[in-house]
Amino acid sequence: MMEMIRNANRTRQSEDSILLRASVLAAVMTGALTLTVENAISGGMGALLLVLLPGAYWVSYIQRNKDNWHIKIALTVLAIFALIRFLGQLRGISTLDEVRFPLADLFLWVQVLHGFDLPARKDLNFSLGSSLTLMAAAGSISQNMTYAVMLLIYFGFAILSLALIHRSELEEGAAATARPRRERRAKAPRTSFVPPGGRDVLKALGATALAATVLFLIVPQPTGVRTFALPFNLGNGIGAIESGGGIGNPGFPPSSAGGAPGLRSNGTAFYGFDDRLDLRTRGELNDSLVMRVRASAPAMWKGIIFNDYDGVGWSAEENDTADTLGSDPPYFYPSEFRSLGPRATVSQTFYVETEQPSVVFAAGQPDTIWFDGPVNIDAVGGLRLPSTLTAGVVYSVVSSRGAATPEELRAIPRRPIPPNIQPFVELPESVTPRTVRLAQEITEDATNDYDRVRAIERWLADNYLYEIESPVPPEGQDAVDHFLFDTDRGFCEQFASATTLMLRSLGIPARFVAGYTPGRRNPFTGYYEVRNSDAHTWVEVWFPGVGWYEFDPTFAIPPAEESLASSIPLANVISFFADRFTGLSGAGAVLRNVLVALLVTAVLFGIVVAWRRLRPVREPAVALSERLAPGRITRAFRRFEEALAQRGAGRSPPETAAELIARTGGRGDPKRQAALRAFERERYGPAPPADDEADSAIEELDRLARQP
């Protein structure tokens, strides 16, 4: 039985190329390093794997010509333990999305274990194929362009490995190259800095990169996110500032949060993410990244619902009484706050980059929330947290948004307002009579609430300008009155406040909300990149029977579904770079012009190279025989040569096949001469020998290889 095990595991043809093994090892290590960089595995495990993998490959190279049956048995046992460990990890996951992490861990350990037994080329092929799985797992959780760099490095090693594998396959049956590798390296002249076959590798790498780039740019990207594959537990959600029942803003101390007369925004956080938003505060926000969002559609990421207006700002302090949604995720939005009517689902996963306020941002109506920690809900349906959101938190929400058409909204008649909606039509005493009269004048031709909302939006767009540094209302004057009648400039807070109050004066329930716009969708990663400057306020209007609908008097509301053009990366790439390079001056303009010149030069150079490479070229007919795959007789002749080399009588570089047969005593032997002729016909002739002739030649060559 032991002899049978040894025979079954004996390597028929070992792979001797150190360069091939090194390139495959580099590809596998790149996959492991990428998983470490993307935090799929811990840094300690990544370092351990990067130490074990070279050792495993060194052992497999040393043992490549042995049966290694004892190593195989040990590796089988260890692989079973790795599988048991994987199954144990599955018990601790909550969503299918999290399977990626233990699966990546399992594949890494399989790579390490398999690395101890890689005697043949097929084993290296398996390792190379498995390394692609590692890169795919890392790509599924990648959020930035670091993965693109690692991917380029990986494909460099992978294409080199494929080229070396192909060369090894050709050399296996090529008698002209079947001699000791050390001797070939010593004899081979070097006429170029590029190693033999290197140009072919570089051409293959360039062609692959070009094809991948073109396909990436023109093929529409899927934007859907499956609701059952949403991660939420990468981070504990515990920030540095406790909310104490209210809303904590990491950008402002409690004494200055929410704004005050003369207060300037510090540019690092939106002052409106607090219990109070003062309309007298001014200042721009910087463009630092605050979160990445993977979503099935762009949406406004709502954070805070404001209800009470006092003449100078909005307050959510009366909403601070919050109830806990539940004990464990997922949490479900209470029925008393849900809207009815036609709805469209939006799935989102938020990756927090910098500390955020103690609220849960979400699109529309957050129906289901996955968050690793307690989630509270305030008196008007806003989601709050016990502390600020710390960097590194990942949470997911499945929301729904109103999907009724404008025609359906126009057809909704006025009905009695329910008690829970009544607070959203209340007006404070500070709202001036001329504000109420203006709302009536603007909407006098509208016959339904939807058209009244649109009429106010159009009137504001036609008569006011957007400007951050708009005039500050004087002490004692209503901020909305000052915006509407004493100035023609304002920003999102003024536009949304004026719209909300004018709608309420018409008996239309409306509320003022704060959050983020969708941000810019990165065409390379597919994530929406939300920045500080994307902080925004808008209006939600209640319609009987269908609930709350978003309206943005400052900008157009994003579409519920992306168009085909927006899903094509080329359009997004152009828009992505246009946004970053327009409006530059000085050094920025010089850099932009240089980049444009380089891009135009690269495109023209690529066209010229492609034309020269793709035009018809007549190849010499002699190249055909060199591209033929090795046949059965050629492989048998290779085994004969290797046997001679092991006995110290190997073939010298200038020695032909006929001279080798003659030197080994085959000059007058008819069987050896017949085998030689069959070999030459298969290798160089117009047609291969017949099957019986080939079988006789292989039998004779194998007999010569076995004899002492």
Side-chain angles (χ1 to χ4, degrees), residues 40 61 132 145 153 167 236 266 313 319 335 417 448 514 575 591 596 627 637 701 706 708:
Y61 176 73
L132 186 61
M145 296 303 294
I153 296 173
R167 181 192 297 179
N236 57 20
N266 60 12
N319 306 336
S335 58
I417 299 175
N448 57 80
S575 178
L591 176 61
V596 171
R627 295 197 300 267
F637 202 94
L701 291 171
R706 291 192 299 269

Side-chain angles (χ1 to χ4, degrees), residues 657-667 673:
E659 291 172 343
L660 179 64
I661 291 293
R663 177 168 62 83
T664 56
R667 188 181 299 276
Q673 290 299 317

Side-chain angles (χ1 to χ4, degrees), residues 138-176:
S140 68
I141 59 175
S142 173
Q143 302 171 35
N144 52 48
M145 296 303 294
T146 303
Y147 177 75
V149 176
M150 302 303 296
L151 190 63
L152 289 175
I153 296 173
Y154 169 79
F155 274 117
F157 290 127
I159 291 176
L160 175 62
S161 300
L162 292 174
L164 293 174
I165 287 172
H166 180 61
R167 181 192 297 179
S168 176
E169 291 173 347
L170 294 178
E171 289 183 352
E172 181 179 337

Side-chain angles (χ1 to χ4, degrees), residues 223 266 385 425 437 502 665:
T223 57
N266 60 12
L385 300 171
V425 294
R437 287 195 302 270
M502 285 195 288

Side-chain angles (χ1 to χ4, degrees), residues 520-683:
R520 168 65 62 179
R521 188 175 189 271
N522 188 316
F524 301 102
T525 64
Y527 287 82
Y528 292 94
E529 295 180 349
V530 183
R531 303 180 180 277
N532 260 325
S533 54
D534 292 319
H536 192 51
T537 58
W538 60 97
V539 181
E540 288 186 337
V541 180
W542 186 82
F543 292 88
V546 295
W548 295 100
Y549 275 68
E550 295 174 341
F551 291 88
D552 188 351
T554 311
F555 302 107
I557 291 290
E561 294 182 0
E562 293 183 297
S563 65
L564 178 62
S566 65
S567 67
I568 296 177
L570 180 58
N572 286 322
V573 168
I574 295 173
S575 178
F576 182 79
F577 286 105
D579 287 348
R580 282 157 175 75
F581 289 103
T582 53
L584 297 178
S585 60
V590 173
L591 176 61
R592 176 193 60 200
N593 296 335
V594 170
L595 291 176
V596 171
L598 290 176
L599 178 61
V600 173
T601 303
V603 171
L604 294 176
F605 179 76
I607 293 174
V608 172
V609 171
W611 178 79
R612 296 184 61 182
R613 294 293 183 187
L614 297 178
R615 62 180 178 176
V617 178
R618 182 171 298 175
E619 298 184 2
V622 295
L624 180 61
S625 62
E626 297 178 1
R627 295 197 300 267
L628 291 176
R632 296 189 300 144
I633 306 175
T634 304
R635 293 194 293 270
F637 202 94
R638 170 71 183 276
R639 293 193 293 270
F640 168 55
E641 289 179 298
E642 290 178 344
L644 291 177
Q646 292 177 1
R647 296 197 291 267
R651 180 181 177 187
S652 61
E655 191 173 23
T656 65
E659 291 172 343
L660 179 64
I661 291 293
R663 177 168 62 83
T664 56
R667 188 181 299 276
D669 190 327
K671 291 185 178 181
R672 297 190 189 187
Q673 290 299 317
L676 174 63
R677 288 192 297 271
F679 165 75
E680 291 174 339
R681 284 185 58 188
E682 182 188 77
R683 185 62 182 161

Side-chain angles (χ1 to χ4, degrees), residues 184-248:
R184 291 208 311 274
R185 288 197 298 268
K187 298 287 184 179
R190 292 298 301 274
T191 59
S192 172
F193 291 105
V194 181
R199 292 184 178 180
D200 293 335
V201 174
L202 293 177
K203 290 179 182 178
L205 181 60
T208 302
L210 178 61
T213 301
V214 171
L215 290 175
F216 169 79
L217 291 175
I218 64 175
V219 175
Q221 292 180 336
T223 57
V225 178
R226 297 187 178 184
T227 59
F228 58 78
L230 298 174
F232 68 92
N233 62 348
L234 301 180
N236 57 20
I238 301 175
I241 302 175
E242 294 185 0
S243 62
I247 299 173

